[in-house]
Amino acid sequence: MSKTLTCYHCSSPISPSELIESDLAGVRHAFCCAGCMAIAQTIHSEGLEVFYARRSQSGDKPAAYLALNAIPEKLKPYDDPSLLGRFTRPSRDIGNLETTLRLEKIRCAACVWLCEQHLRRLDGVKDVQINYVTQKVIVRFSPSKTSLARLLFEIERVGYEAWPFEPSLVLDRAKKERRQLLTRLGVAMLGMMQVMMYAWPTYVGADITPEFDLLLGWTSWALTAPVMVYSAGPIFQAAWRSVQSFRQTHMLGMDVPIAIALALAFTAGTINLITGSGQSYFDSITMFVAFILAARYVELLARQDAQGGAEALAKQLPATCERAINFPSSQEIEVVPVVNCKSGEVLRVSPGEVVPADGVLIENPSALDESLLTGESKPVEKKIGDPVYAGTHNILNPLFMRIDAVGQSTRIAGIASLLDQALLAKPVMVSLAEKWAAYFVAFLLLSAFISSAIWLYFDPSQAWTVLVSVLVASCPCALSLAVPTAMAAAQGAVTKLGLLIVRAHVLEGLVKATDLVLDKTGTLTMGQPELQEIIHLRSGYRREDALALAAALEAGQRHPLALSVLRAAHLEGLVLPNLNDPVINQLGKGLISGSYRLGSAAWLGIEQDGSVGQYGQVHLVDEQGLIASFIFLDTPRPGLSQFLKTVKSRNIHVHLVSGDDPATVAWWAHHVGIENYQGACTPEDKYDFIERLQKDHHFVWAVGDGVNDAPLLARADISIAVGAGAPLAAAGADAILTAVSLEPLAKTLRLADKTQAIIKQNLLWALIYNLLAIPAAMMGLVNPWVAGIGMSLSSLAVTLNAWRLRKA
């Protein structure tokens, strides 16, 4: 019988009618189709053939058109100016463009390596950054030398697919990955419970008949088999990839000894079951797999929380908008999806709605809340000809705008791109377990096989038992659980305090922090101005009279200061007077009703009070002059003083960096006792501020909210987003403060010290256990059954020690 041919590229079986052969580097190879041959020729022509030694195999067949060099028709529309403007944005380098693409069919690190190397060699490509976790690639290129369609085609030419980033697809994929791992964990947990129940007679030494013992044994085997094949399947696959790539990496992952121990324990248990001698280890196997998968499920949740900010960006912008037909001859409106809008079209944005694209205001001046982008809490007045940005809120009048930029070319998308780049550059906080594991794995395998070889020489009957015992007894279960269990317990404790940790290095990083960078509006303060005092009250007017009159003028207004006046009047139970004349809103100035005017000092022609730096002030006048001045103060966040006191007691330097007016920032810095402050900062300024601190070897901790804080949070070594802030900021942060008060942050600092102590205790226990268990197993003093119990007890000790953190 002739040997079945397989495709050199995709490993699919080849029938005689499909066979295509080609010489690559002087060697004749067989292919199943022209597409596979074209991909292999491309890889070899660029000297990237080492990819075939690193990759995970796939049976996917590529499209036949890849044998040609011409861009296919399905990709050519991406070079159309309208789509190019949607899916690209100007790069920092003048004349270059930048795009974010979603990679498909990526299976391993070798796939990432091949895509990156191939794209870097294309003429016109300036830089390529690929994140294997998020499966996104940021490409910076020269549009005069290459194109978006060419980039997509070249990725296809090496066997993969790429499309302009679409957040909804990523969310669906993340849900599928969580569901698959949870199903594997469920099978392992079910198998563990059933097998341990059947093993109970063995634990208690019950006297059962041989027939019944055999029935329990084979039932346990039947329940363990799906755990080995399905639940532990990814462990064996990862171990095999690690072995395959050892020649390039010179490292073995922790999955290797785990897979060997599971395979040998299952094999030994099966042999013992068949021969009727010795113990089975099915209870230890299922319990071990369940422990490992539970820890990996927690890791998966943390990894998916690190997906970057573009997914959250999608939630900031509306799905539909109002497009004007034949403007300005007609103001007829149609509701259309935002994705169908193009540059040059006119949109109407009603009060209270979010601006869907970047553009220019062409009719009806208004005021917009741009705090999402700038951090400035006060509404920004917009006149005809002024720019408006996607993600900002229209407050005052229905406005008409002409679109300048959509999709990835908008300012908010640029901030998301900066966030993605910061996440790629974020330093990895390697735990002590990972540092020790690289040495421990090699030591474990060497000890197991050397001891087995020695016993094979002196007593061959003991060689197999010793090999399994060493691998099972010293299997790095406790070592692998030492950090995840402690972090999970600590996360549960801080969650009760009001802090949600989404990346495990936060507590470790808090111990190392040297500098704290704070935003002002929404972080240091609540971003909700409150009426502080009423001054310059005219003789004959009571405070209540002036406040009621101002509230009557502000009735129906949505400005933050107007809402503050209305809240104050409501809390005091004031009855508002009826105004004889309608209220007219003078944009950027104030309100008029008959002889009454309420607004800024400059408009009213009166002297500004010196305390304006606190938040702001408005003045009430009539034809006789000033009636009263209203002073507003932003509300400080509860727990601020205690938080700053705790931070300073640990010699952490505090910096206030905000997009607010410099005078306001300076007032607040002096008010709360912060010596280092900077105002009027753009998102890029905040990013650069963090970067400068890090270049001076400072370990930076950042707290902020709003989209403008997202790059700052992502660039910092550890970062916490205020829960009420924008989802994009939370996506770039390592933790989210769900409580209103900052007090949980002070408590978390103290918990961080305790967590580090618990982690060190767990690692020390795991090390001591293995130093005792390995020699005992090597000397044949323990059999695999005892070794499995010892491994389980070691894991239990680590888990119970970590559980103490939940009472913190």
Side-chain angles (χ1 to χ4, degrees), residues 251 254 428-439 479 483 763:
M251 292 183 63
M254 289 186 69
V428 179
M429 303 293 294
V430 182
S431 68
L432 290 175
E434 292 172 333
K435 295 176 184 177
W436 293 4
Y439 303 101
L479 188 61
V483 176
L763 290 171

Side-chain angles (χ1 to χ4, degrees), residues 262-342:
L262 288 173
L264 291 181
F266 185 75
T267 302
T270 303
I271 293 174
N272 290 342
L273 182 62
I274 294 173
T275 60
S277 61
Q279 299 291 332
S280 65
Y281 319 109
F282 303 135
D283 52 340
S284 297
I285 291 172
T286 53
M287 179 179 63
F288 182 40
V289 173
F291 268 121
I292 289 295
L293 293 185
R296 294 187 177 185
Y297 184 71
V298 175
E299 293 172 5
L300 174 65
L301 295 180
R303 177 168 63 86
Q304 290 187 346
D305 281 326
Q307 289 283 315
E311 289 86 347
L313 168 63
K315 300 177 183 178
Q316 297 296 315
L317 303 178
T320 61
C321 62
E322 297 180 335
R323 183 168 62 188
I325 304 175
N326 299 323
F327 185 89
S329 58
S330 170
Q331 291 194 357
E332 182 182 353
I333 299 298
E334 62 175 348
V335 178
V336 297
V338 174
V339 295
N340 292 343
C341 295
K342 300 178 181 178

Side-chain angles (χ1 to χ4, degrees), residues 343-423:
S343 180
E345 294 180 337
V346 176
L347 305 180
R348 185 181 73 178
V349 183
S350 302
E353 294 184 351
V354 177
V355 178
D358 288 359
V360 176
L361 182 63
I362 59 175
E363 187 171 306
N364 295 345
S366 187
L368 272 68
D369 178 2
E370 295 187 343
S371 59
L372 195 68
L373 298 176
T374 66
E376 172 61 61
S377 55
K378 300 178 184 178
V380 179
E381 300 158 10
K382 295 290 183 178
K383 304 183 295 296
I384 293 177
D386 286 348
V388 292
Y389 300 105
T392 60
H393 283 76
N394 183 23
I395 295 177
L396 197 58
N397 299 318
L399 62 84
F400 285 85
M401 58 170 287
R402 178 172 286 108
I403 298 175
D404 280 346
V406 292
Q408 290 191 28
S409 59
T410 59
R411 177 170 170 77
I412 194 171
I415 294 176
S417 171
L418 188 61
L419 170 60
D420 283 333
Q421 293 181 48
L423 287 169

Side-chain angles (χ1 to χ4, degrees), residues 60-90:
D60 295 335
K61 290 190 176 184
Y65 62 75
L66 295 177
L68 305 175
N69 191 41
I71 297 176
E73 291 297 324
K74 70 173 185 176
L75 296 180
K76 288 182 179 179
Y78 286 103
D79 286 340
D80 183 88
S82 61
L83 283 183
L84 186 67
R86 176 182 300 281
F87 295 124
T88 63
R89 53 192 173 274

Side-chain angles (χ1 to χ4, degrees), residues 494-691:
V494 298
T495 299
K496 294 178 181 178
L497 296 176
L499 182 69
L500 177 62
I501 294 179
V502 295
R503 295 177 195 160
H505 72 280
V506 171
L507 294 175
E508 180 185 0
L510 289 177
V511 178
K512 302 177 181 178
T514 61
D515 291 77
L516 170 62
V517 178
L518 291 170
D519 178 45
K520 186 189 78 68
T521 305
T523 304
L524 196 72
T525 65
M526 298 293 292
Q528 298 174 353
E530 295 294 340
L531 180 62
Q532 185 71 9
E533 58 180 328
I534 301 176
I535 60 176
H536 303 151
L537 198 62
R538 181 193 294 179
S539 177
Y541 273 86
R542 296 181 305 159
R543 178 185 181 281
E544 293 78 9
D545 297 333
L547 179 58
L549 184 55
L553 286 164
E554 295 282 18
Q557 301 297 322
R558 305 301 300 170
H559 191 282
L561 296 185
L563 297 176
S564 179
V565 169
L566 292 171
R567 279 197 303 269
H570 176 73
L571 289 174
E572 296 186 20
L574 302 181
V575 177
L576 306 187
N578 292 320
L579 300 175
N580 297 325
D581 299 294
V583 177
I584 301 174
N585 189 333
Q586 294 286 327
L587 184 63
K589 298 176 181 179
L591 305 170
I592 299 177
S593 176
S595 62
Y596 295 114
R597 291 189 295 169
L598 179 69
S600 66
W603 177 49
L604 299 173
I606 61 177
E607 185 179 351
Q608 183 82 307
D609 191 86
S611 58
V612 68
Q614 297 178 20
Y615 186 93
Q617 61 182 251
V618 294
H619 309 274
L620 178 62
V621 302
D622 60 9
E623 70 277 1
Q624 299 178 24
L626 181 64
I627 297 176
S629 296
F630 301 84
I631 306 298
F632 299 88
L633 178 68
D634 202 349
T635 309
R637 189 168 286 275
L640 175 62
S641 59
Q642 181 184 354
F643 171 55
L644 292 178
K645 182 180 179 181
T646 303
V647 169
K648 292 178 181 179
S649 69
R650 301 169 67 92
N651 295 320
I652 297 176
H653 301 287
V654 183
H655 309 267
L656 179 59
V657 182
S658 173
D660 262 354
D661 178 76
T664 303
V665 175
W667 187 94
W668 273 101
H670 291 124
H671 182 66
V672 300
I674 298 177
E675 297 180 0
N676 304 312
Y677 55 88
Q678 186 173 326
C681 294
T682 64
E684 292 78 10
D685 292 335
K686 296 183 178 185
Y687 185 93
D688 293 338
F689 184 85
I690 294 284
E691 197 170 39

